[in-house]
Amino acid sequence: MQPFHRNMFDLIESIEDCLARHRILPCLTLLYSGIDVVASLDRQSGESSKASFVRWAERYLLTSRKLPCAAIDLYAARCGVVHTFTAASTLSGKRQVRLVGYAWGTAEAEKLAAAATLLQRNDCVIHVRDLIDAFRNGVTAYLEDVEMDSTRRQKFESNVGLWFTQLDREPVDRLLDMAKSSTKQ
């Protein structure tokens, strides 16, 4: 659990930092990547990353009434933001999803949605703060579910065990020194 908590803390702090500095695209990129990463921890055998993202979003993100989007809308938004820094994706190009627009800061998602309607657009509009809060709450609910299910916990621990961790330089130096001294003998 240590790598998970450390990396999630760092990720969420970085998301919050980007939002505070009005760096909305990097904020969204980190946020959607975070959703992707956590969803991957619960991926079923043979399941695509798209399917696991949608399943995780339905179960853990969309419990918030503040997100008026479908999970597939969020997946397409993730594709657009992460791959092209736009709202457009293959799914939106095929008109299989609604585009997602974002309000942030003191802007109101409802007003942006009303403006989109006036322009005869069918966009899903969310406030970035609401998406961040839904992610935080979703991660918490996910961890609670994992704790209650030994099979999911074992899978979680196995997957998190592959994550990068931070390692101070001193243990590496000691290991190399020990190896060097044992070869001299």
Side-chain angles (χ1 to χ4, degrees), residues 2-183:
Q2 178 87 17
F4 179 84
H5 289 293
R6 175 80 252 157
N7 287 324
M8 274 299 113
F9 177 82
D10 289 349
L11 177 64
I12 291 172
E13 285 294 306
S14 297
I15 291 167
E16 294 287 359
D17 183 59
C18 286
L19 182 62
R21 294 171 181 258
H22 306 262
R23 295 176 177 157
I24 302 307
L25 278 172
C27 174
L28 290 170
T29 302
L30 290 171
L31 185 54
Y32 282 122
S33 294
I35 296 166
D36 238 357
V37 166
V38 177
S40 78
L41 295 173
D42 210 34
R43 185 170 296 140
Q44 307 297 320
S45 178
E47 185 177 47
S48 69
S49 58
K50 174 184 173 184
S52 66
F53 182 103
V54 169
R55 187 173 44 77
W56 196 90
E58 285 172 346
R59 186 166 182 180
Y60 296 107
L61 282 182
L62 296 179
T63 57
S64 169
R65 298 188 199 288
K66 293 183 176 185
L67 300 180
C69 303
I72 193 68
D73 296 332
L74 293 173
Y75 177 78
R78 163 236 177 257
C79 293
V81 168
V82 170
H83 298 295
T84 64
F85 271 8
T86 69
S89 67
T90 302
L91 291 171
S92 68
K94 294 178 181 177
R95 300 193 190 285
Q96 295 176 343
V97 297
R98 296 186 305 159
L99 289 176
V100 176
Y102 305 92
W104 55 278
T106 59
E108 298 174 37
E110 297 78 16
K111 286 184 178 180
L112 186 55
T117 300
L118 282 174
L119 296 171
Q120 299 180 337
R121 295 177 57 98
N122 186 30
D123 297 358
C124 168
V125 178
I126 56 180
H127 200 282
V128 174
R129 171 86 268 148
D130 293 337
L131 186 56
I132 294 169
D133 291 345
F135 177 59
R136 282 178 182 263
N137 294 334
V139 169
T140 300
Y142 167 68
L143 289 175
E144 289 170 359
D145 286 353
V146 166
E147 283 295 320
M148 303 293 270
D149 183 329
S150 62
T151 303
R152 285 178 79 190
R153 181 177 171 84
Q154 187 175 33
K155 181 179 184 180
F156 171 88
E157 289 173 351
S158 174
N159 288 335
V160 167
L162 301 173
W163 280 19
F164 284 108
T165 59
Q166 296 178 20
L167 182 63
D168 290 329
R169 157 181 165 198
E170 290 78 23
V172 174
D173 289 343
R174 280 196 306 269
L175 174 66
L176 294 174
D177 288 343
M178 287 184 342
K180 195 184 309 180
S181 66
S182 70
T183 59

